[in-house]
Structures are given as C-alpha cells and as structure tokens.
Amino acid sequence: MTQRDQMQYDVVIVGGGPAGLAAAIRLKQLANEQQQELSVCLLEKAAEAGAHILSGAVIDPIALNELIPDWKNKGAPITTTVQRDQFLWLTKNNHYTIPAALMPPLMSNHGNYIVSLGQVCRWLVTQAEELGVDVFPGFNGSEILYGDDGAVKGVITGDMGVARDGTHKNTFSAGIELHARYTLIAEGTRGSLTKSLEQKFNLRATAEPQKYGLGFKEVWRIDSRQHHEGTVLHTQGWPLDNHTGGGGFLYHLEDNKIALGFVVHLNYRNPYLNPFEEFQRFKTHPAIKPLLQNAKRLSYGARTINEGGVQSLPELIFPGGALIGCSAGFVNVPKIKGSHNAMKSGMLAAETIIAALAHEQFQPLLTDYPKKIRSSWLWKDIYAVRNIKPALSAWGNIGGTLYGGADMWLHSLGITLPWTLKHKQADHETLVAATNAQPIDYPAPDGKITFDRLASIYLANIQHEEDQPVHLVLGDTEIPITTNLAIYAAPEQRYCPAGVYEIVDVDKSARLQINADNCIHCKACDIKDPTQNITWVPPQGGNGPYYEAM
C-alpha cells in the first residue's frame, strides 16, 4: 500500500470554479465574522486557477453582489455591461429577427455583464487567499476517502510521476490524503468523484437522467467597425435540423473582441452528426460571417453543460459533504447561465457547514443545505424554466420554442403551470443505428473562418505529459469495434471536439486509437458514448488545456 502524507482541514473543496471559490470565500467570511478558527483547502486540477474554465459568458451578478458587495472597488474583471439583446432564427441563407419586446422577461440580459469567466475565477482566487483559504492548483481529487462509519472523510490527490504502464518514474510523488470534517464537490459537469459518490450513495435514485449540451467557444479580434461593445446575440435554427437542439451565441467584449460560440444538445439522434463541424457551418451564415472577415481567431475550447434542470438534480448531500455547482447541475438552460446559481449553491453550502459546526455534536449530514436551496432565489430561477428542455426534446426546436416562450411569459405574469415535463432518455440512449441515419457532408475548412479540429486545439494550449496513464478508460476494448463501429459508425470520432478518438487499420484489423494528449476535458465521450464504455478520469494534476481568458 502506498504511504501517503496526510493533512487535516475543517473543509476540503474539490474544484476551483465559481461554486468552489464562492463556498471557500463564504466559509472564511462567516468564520472570521464569528471569530472562529476554520481551515479551508481548495483543490484545482488546472495548473493555474481559471485555466480550465470555459463559459460564454454573460453573467448575472446577483450572487457576486451578495458574496462581495464591493467587487467593483476590488478590481473584479467585470466591466462590459450588456447594452443590447438580439435574437435571431436562422435559415440556411437568411434570418428572422425576434423583437426583444416579444421575448419573455426571463430572457432579458439587462443588468448582466459579458466576461471571461476564467479571469473572474482568477480574481476570486485572490479574494479567497486573502481570507486565508489554502488554494492548491495543479492537484486533482482522484479518490474519495471514507471513514470506518462509511462517511466521506476527504479525498486523495492524484499521484504524480506515474508512467503509462503504471510503473513509478524517478519523479514519482504519491498523492496526499486530505482529511476533512466536510468535503464539498465542485468538479463541474460530469465529474469523476461525483459519479463515484452518486453510485456509492445512490444519489440519483429519484432523479431523471441528466441532460447535457456540448458548447464550443472561440474568441476573435474583429474589425473595430464591426464591433459593438455590450451587444449580446443568440440564435436558433440553422445549421441544426428541427429535431436537434442547440443554437449560437456572439458576445461583443471590450478591445474589439467577440466571444463566438455554439451549443449542440447531446441528445441528438444521427450518429453522423459532428458537433464541431456544425459550429464551423454556423460561422458561415450570412448573419455571422461578415463579422469574421479580416478578423483573427485568438482561442478555442469546448466543454459540456448540464441541461437537465430540477428534474435531473441528484440528492445534494451525502454523509460528510455535498455537491455544489455543476456537480449537481444548476444551469438555467434557456438563458444559458449557471455561474450565478453555482456561486449561490456554494454560498448556501458554506452557511450550512458553519451552522453545523456550531453544534456540540458533529452532524455528518448537511440536511439544511437542500432546504436552503429550495427556499432560495436559485430554486426559483431553475424551477421557472424546468419545462423548456423536455419540451424541446419532445416537440423539436419550433414546437418546443413556442411552448417555452408561452410558459415563460405566463410565469412572468405570475402564472406557474402545474405540470413538470419529464426527461425520458439519457443522452447516450438517443442515437439511432447508422443504417437508419443520413450521412452528413461537411465542407472542407477554408483556414480563415472555418478550421479543422487539430488547428483549433492548438489554440487551447493543451499541456499533457505524454508518458502517463491514459485518462480515458475503456471498460471493454472490443466494444468500440463490435458495437460502436458496427452499429453506430464509430460516433466517438465525431462527437469529440478535439479529435481524441480515431478508428485505424480499418482494412486489416480495426481498432480504436485514443489520442489522449489532444483531450480538452469536455467529457463529451463520458456522456455520449452509446455503450457507456468510456470513463473520463483526471490526468496528472496540472495537465489539460490552458485557457487564458475563456
């Protein structure tokens, strides 16, 4: 058995996104107010906090206003206010503008900000450290620690210096046991520790399947004559068909920069669909392409997004800790916003922990945390839009959008519909056999506006040490050929936004090649693989993409 160093904390937080950082800050704020000694540790698997963060992002500052009311005076990198909302329905060669007056008030971005969420998280780290939080970048949470009573008592960080064959290199360093009274899991979408906790404690026993989208983002610097700082554009329609959910976004940042992106819902049916190529096609639309003429692409990335809403929430607590942020799934799907809810969930978990620690007898279950969630504005935010995603799945983009608009308008008038639509399938269950699907002919990239995946991931600044265990684990090495290739035409070659999966030696003895060094940690493979044969686990700490301002 590997001998490991041990460190003791009151609270360990896994994940340095908005939820984890908000929890850490709130814990220390409350402890300091009550003049209590409270040790808090936060693990971040990226080499630097914020380096794995990717989001649109238009943020609602409601949670930040509560957490750090004077954030403007403290230099938060949040300066570009939304000045104008635009909504377009795209056809192949045309578009239709949906007047802002017809959009439900819930969809308004008035009072919101266009930001780099990665930069916001870097700033939040400085606030946490000033309060005394121990922030450890470059360390992942690789395993849950359990006590003799079966409760969670912390995590083990990943070993460093392990060769691909599992042997220890001369740089080997064993992971550390971080013991805690409470452990908060803030890994983001489809985290490996979250999956293990869900299985261990049956946290999804009453939850409907979680639903996901795959979001792409590029940052461009465009001609100043085309730039309109503060403009927020959202689109639906082309290039997706009526039964494939998703849409585009284009946000005008400062310094002649735009955040350009596209989301494909991962419950799509056609195994020949390539989400990355749909994003490239989106950029060629007459409403988008002119903005990219004489422009320069600066960065690229992709990540998955929780879309299940209240129906798909697992149990939020387990003995010794809780799930916060996107580990649980608090995204408001039609608004494409989750950062404010992630932060609020972290803050509520922190408040619950502080109250629990005030009791003389230790309470392993944070039973007040789910109650606080349900009585907060966070719950109101996601409950109001609970029917939008299942409506899109059931009735397609046109029917689902019409229903969703009516539902949200009624809610704005104080009328809450008495039903909750259900999610009937997990995303990995929706693909049809390739023999029942139509192949899609995607145009070759032009190298100016549209690009291939390898040219794109170069801009993600991926850093993976080559000689380490492959972090994309196959349960059965034959299934990619006998099932995925034979029935679904090897969809992993297409749904991965980084070209990780490749069928080679097709004419001889076909096999799946995993180019793990290309991985940008989106976890689409873990979600969409039709046989659930692929498991994503964190690579060596500090490895992965390095997003500077995504």
Side-chain angles (χ1 to χ4, degrees):
M1 180 179 292
T2 303
Q3 294 295 314
R4 303 182 184 278
D5 292 335
Q6 297 180 4
M7 297 176 69
Q8 180 69 46
Y9 285 90
D10 292 308
V11 183
V12 166
I13 302 169
V14 182
L21 287 165
I25 290 169
R26 190 67 183 135
L27 282 164
K28 294 298 286 187
Q29 286 176 337
L30 291 170
N32 292 345
E33 288 173 8
Q34 298 174 18
Q35 296 183 330
Q36 295 179 358
E37 288 293 330
L38 185 77
S39 56
V40 180
C41 163
L42 184 144
L43 297 180
E44 169 51 49
K45 64 183 176 65
E48 175 186 308
H52 285 180
I53 298 294
L54 183 148
S55 181
V58 174
I59 65 165
D60 183 334
I62 180 172
L64 186 59
N65 289 340
E66 294 179 3
L67 182 66
I68 307 175
D70 58 344
W71 55 266
K72 290 184 180 180
N73 294 334
K74 290 187 173 182
I78 304 172
T79 58
T80 304
T81 57
V82 176
Q83 303 293 329
R84 181 188 181 198
D85 272 316
Q86 288 183 294
F87 304 90
L88 302 182
W89 189 281
L90 305 184
T91 61
K92 184 174 183 180
N93 297 308
N94 206 343
H95 71 271
Y96 300 92
T97 301
I98 303 174
L102 295 181
M103 298 298 295
L106 289 174
M107 296 297 290
S108 172
N109 282 295
H110 178 74
N112 295 334
Y113 293 82
I114 308 171
V115 302
S116 158
L117 191 61
Q119 297 287 39
V120 172
C121 286
R122 287 178 170 92
W123 176 79
L124 286 171
V125 165
T126 65
Q127 306 306 302
E129 289 178 331
E130 286 177 5
L131 289 167
V133 176
D134 288 343
V135 179
F136 298 144
F139 290 88
N140 61 52
S142 67
E143 185 180 342
I144 298 289
L145 278 171
Y146 296 97
D148 294 337
D149 59 355
V152 172
K153 68 169 187 178
V155 299
I156 302 175
T157 66
D159 295 339
M160 309 283 275
V162 179
R164 182 165 294 229
D165 62 4
T167 60
H168 294 175
K169 297 185 285 188
N170 57 13
T171 57
F172 175 76
S173 175
I176 300 170
E177 290 190 6
L178 295 173
H179 294 212
R181 301 173 77 179
Y182 292 108
T183 302
L184 295 180
I185 305 298
E187 298 174 294
T189 304
R190 195 74 168 196
S192 56
L193 297 184
T194 303
K195 286 177 64 178
S196 69
L197 288 166
E198 288 177 344
Q199 294 168 4
K200 170 79 172 179
F201 296 108
N202 202 19
L203 301 181
R204 301 204 62 83
T206 61
E208 293 175 21
Q210 184 58 272
K211 308 295 288 184
Y212 299 92
L214 177 57
F216 297 85
K217 179 181 177 181
E218 294 176 346
V219 175
W220 290 67
R221 178 172 283 112
I222 65 173
D223 190 311
S224 60
R225 293 168 294 183
Q226 299 272 26
H227 186 253
H228 304 283
E229 184 173 320
T231 293
V232 166
L233 169 69
H234 290 104
T235 76
Q236 279 186 270
W238 190 89
L240 301 177
D241 62 34
N242 186 50
H243 295 290
T244 305
F249 62 86
L250 195 157
Y251 306 150
H252 288 252
L253 294 147
E254 66 281 354
D255 300 327
N256 297 328
K257 293 179 182 177
I258 60 168
L260 177 68
F262 198 75
V263 177
V264 177
H265 297 179
L266 285 178
N267 61 352
Y268 66 82
R269 304 173 186 175
N270 188 342
Y272 291 110
L273 186 141
N274 185 319
F276 174 86
E277 295 293 352
E278 297 295 334
F279 175 37
Q280 301 310 303
R281 288 209 294 176
F282 165 70
K283 291 188 290 183
T284 68
H285 191 275
I288 305 298
K289 185 176 181 178
L291 285 171
L292 306 180
Q293 303 285 3
N294 302 316
K296 182 179 180 180
R297 191 173 66 144
L298 303 177
S299 54
Y300 163 84
R303 61 157 289 184
T304 47
I305 308 161
N306 291 308
E307 295 187 338
V310 296
Q311 299 95 314
S312 300
L313 289 176
E315 292 293 330
L316 300 177
I317 57 174
F318 47 84
L323 304 176
I324 61 176
C326 286
S327 287
F330 295 118
V331 173
N332 182 314
V333 175
K335 295 180 74 172
I336 327 178
K337 286 185 180 60
S339 299
H340 62 305
N341 289 336
M343 292 181 67
K344 184 63 173 178
S345 70
M347 293 158 64
L348 293 175
E351 292 166 10
T352 307
I353 287 173
I354 292 295
L357 291 175
H359 288 80
E360 292 184 5
Q361 187 172 0
F362 178 70
Q363 300 173 324
L365 271 180
L366 295 167
T367 53
D368 284 345
Y369 169 55
K371 297 176 185 177
K372 287 179 177 290
I373 291 287
R374 282 182 170 267
S375 63
S376 71
W377 53 254
L378 184 166
W379 186 262
K380 294 178 181 177
D381 185 71
I382 58 175
Y383 188 79
V385 297
R386 69 196 183 284
N387 287 326
I388 309 307
K389 172 65 177 182
L392 291 168
S393 300
W395 304 315
N397 292 333
I398 296 175
T401 298
L402 291 173
Y403 170 87
D407 192 320
M408 288 189 284
W409 264 114
L410 288 171
H411 188 272
S412 70
L413 298 173
I415 302 170
T416 300
L417 296 176
W419 55 80
T420 297
L421 301 176
K422 294 184 178 297
H423 300 302
K424 297 180 180 179
Q425 288 179 297
D427 291 339
H428 71 269
E429 299 174 319
T430 61
L431 287 180
V432 301
T435 53
N436 298 324
Q438 181 68 39
I440 303 174
D441 183 21
Y442 292 107
D446 62 18
K448 297 179 181 179
I449 291 175
T450 60
F451 303 88
D452 63 27
R453 283 180 289 188
L454 290 181
S456 297
I457 62 172
Y458 174 78
L459 296 178
N461 300 315
I462 301 172
Q463 303 169 3
H464 280 117
E465 186 171 331
E466 186 174 347
D467 187 18
Q468 66 172 301
V470 174
H471 67 282
L472 301 153
V473 183
L474 297 180
D476 185 326
T477 58
E478 297 299 319
I479 282 177
I481 305 304
T482 59
T483 301
N484 288 11
L485 177 61
I487 299 176
Y488 303 106
E492 58 268 53
Q493 294 188 109
R494 291 175 288 277
Y495 60 60
C496 175
V500 169
Y501 300 98
E502 183 180 3
I503 299 294
V504 297
D505 296 332
V506 175
D507 297 330
K508 299 177 182 178
S509 179
R511 63 181 177 86
L512 178 68
Q513 178 171 298
I514 300 178
N515 305 307
D517 293 352
N518 289 2
C519 181
I520 54 176
H521 300 196
C522 75
K523 305 172 193 170
C525 55
D526 197 301
I527 295 164
K528 189 60 178 175
D529 178 51
T531 57
Q532 292 294 273
N533 187 48
I534 301 173
T535 299
W536 184 97
V537 296
Q540 183 173 278
N543 285 197
Y546 188 94
Y547 299 134
E548 293 186 5
M550 292 288 271

